[in-house]
């Protein structure tokens, strides 16, 4: 079935450092989304990407939709303690049989040391 | 809008019992998704609906699982009979076009 491979699985960094994580797939996606999940809560949307090559920022977060439509990355600059959480990529598949189908990567757990 | 509303937030039940999870999507959203989250498997898509019609239920693990969406403002996920391995957090999400918004989830524990 369709899968998203997200890496790294976890990161432990010092406050102030930059962070980078990515997702790849063998399938082509129409849309890439990046979410953050805090403990005990549902995932919250951070950034949405709609076009191949698109680069979008949201504060200290920057994400890009890969040219091949099969990958995306998320960067967090100057990390702070409240960035701690699990980050998920999600992709909306292309193709009539998959219209609207939204699947998720395995998540990247981020820990920030003050 | 209050967002996606799920109930209950927590459910503890005995093996063999029927469990029903409920979801109220955001008004006007035309897609509704049910996901299951565990440490081992992450966020798994179980089933999704478009305009109340089930589109893909290939992620539903077994016949013990069923989902319905009788109208645009309500969906249920039922497990009958429940088993300990069904213990997980179950999320409902709704979208208009692409951006999915999640509920707070139902933490299910089957003992």
């Amino acid at each position: 079935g369709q899968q998203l491979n997200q890496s790294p699985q976890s990161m432990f960094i010092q406050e102030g450092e930059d962070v980078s994580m990515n997702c790849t797939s063998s399938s082509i996606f129409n849309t890439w989304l990046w979410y953050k999940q805090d403990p005990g809560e549902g995932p919250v949307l951070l950034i949405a990407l709609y076009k191949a090559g698109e680069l979008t920022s949201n504060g200290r977060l920057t994400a890009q939709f890969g040219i091949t439509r099969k990958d995306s990355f998320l960067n967090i600059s100057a990390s702070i303690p409240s960035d701690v959480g699990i980050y998920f990529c999600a992709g909306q598949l292309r193709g009539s049989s998959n219209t609207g189908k939204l699947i998720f990567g395995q998540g990247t757990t981020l820990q920030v040391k003050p | 809008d209050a967002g996606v509303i799920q109930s209950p937030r927590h459910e503890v039940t005995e093996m063999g019992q029927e469990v029903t999870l409920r979801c109220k999507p955001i008004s006007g959203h035309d897609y509704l998704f049910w996901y299951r989250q565990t440490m081992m498997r992450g966020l798994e898509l179980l089933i999704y609906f478009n305009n109340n019609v089930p589109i893909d239920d290939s992620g539903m693990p077994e016949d013990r699982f069923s989902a319905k969406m009788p109208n645009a403002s309500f969906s249920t996920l039922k497990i009958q009979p429940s088993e300990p391995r069904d213990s997980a957090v179950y999320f409902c999400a709704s979208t208009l076009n692409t951006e999915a918004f999640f509920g707070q989830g139902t933490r299910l524990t089957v003992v």
Side-chain angles (χ1 to χ4, degrees):
Chain A
Q2 303 96 352
Q3 277 192 311
L4 287 181
N5 300 308
Q6 185 172 349
S7 65
Q9 189 174 358
S10 63
M11 302 181 74
F12 189 88
I13 62 170
Q14 194 77 33
E15 181 178 2
E17 290 183 354
D18 296 344
V19 172
S20 185
M21 58 193 79
N22 69 82
C23 271
T24 61
S25 177
S26 57
S27 299
I28 293 175
F29 291 88
N30 281 334
T31 305
W32 283 94
L33 307 171
W34 285 92
Y35 286 82
K36 183 191 178 197
Q37 185 178 26
D38 292 324
E41 302 292 330
V44 173
L45 182 64
L46 298 174
I47 290 180
L49 302 159
Y50 300 102
K51 297 179 184 178
E54 180 180 355
L55 184 71
T56 297
S57 293
N58 178 6
R60 294 179 295 106
L61 277 60
T62 302
Q64 185 160 29
F65 192 145
I67 291 290
T68 64
R69 309 186 75 98
K70 296 181 179 181
D71 64 311
S72 177
F73 71 75
L74 174 71
N75 288 341
I76 306 173
S77 63
S79 58
I80 59 178
S82 62
D83 290 334
V84 165
I86 304 176
Y87 291 80
F88 291 97
C89 63
Q92 188 177 53
L93 286 157
R94 190 176 186 180
S96 59
S97 63
N98 293 313
T99 301
K101 190 171 187 175
L102 190 63
I103 61 172
F104 281 75
Q106 304 96 321
T108 296
T109 300
L110 178 63
Q111 294 177 288
V112 180
K113 184 178 180 182
Chain B
D1 200 310
V4 176
I5 299 173
Q6 290 187 246
S7 64
R9 286 295 309 276
H10 302 273
E11 177 81 33
V12 180
T13 190
E14 290 187 346
M15 182 173 64
Q17 296 297 306
E18 177 180 299
V19 175
T20 299
L21 311 181
R22 296 173 176 79
C23 175
K24 181 180 186 305
I26 294 173
S27 177
H29 282 194
D30 56 355
Y31 281 88
L32 184 141
F33 300 81
W34 282 100
Y35 291 90
R36 177 173 67 177
Q37 186 175 34
T38 61
M39 288 291 291
M40 292 296 294
R41 293 174 174 266
L43 271 166
E44 298 175 275
L45 176 61
L46 300 177
I47 185 171
Y48 75 102
F49 296 82
N50 177 221
N51 293 323
N52 314 337
V53 176
I55 302 299
D56 185 345
D57 65 355
S58 59
M60 297 285 261
E62 299 171 35
D63 291 344
R64 298 183 296 108
F65 286 69
S66 63
K68 294 181 180 179
M69 192 166 185
N71 57 62
S73 59
F74 185 64
S75 178
T76 59
L77 178 68
K78 185 179 293 186
I79 308 173
Q80 165 64 17
S82 58
E83 296 182 3
R85 59 194 168 120
D86 301 332
S87 298
V89 181
Y90 290 80
F91 286 104
C92 174
S94 70
T95 81
L96 181 63
N97 297 323
T98 301
E99 299 175 15
F101 294 86
F102 281 76
Q104 291 187 296
T106 295
R107 181 173 292 278
L108 173 65
T109 303
V110 183
V111 297

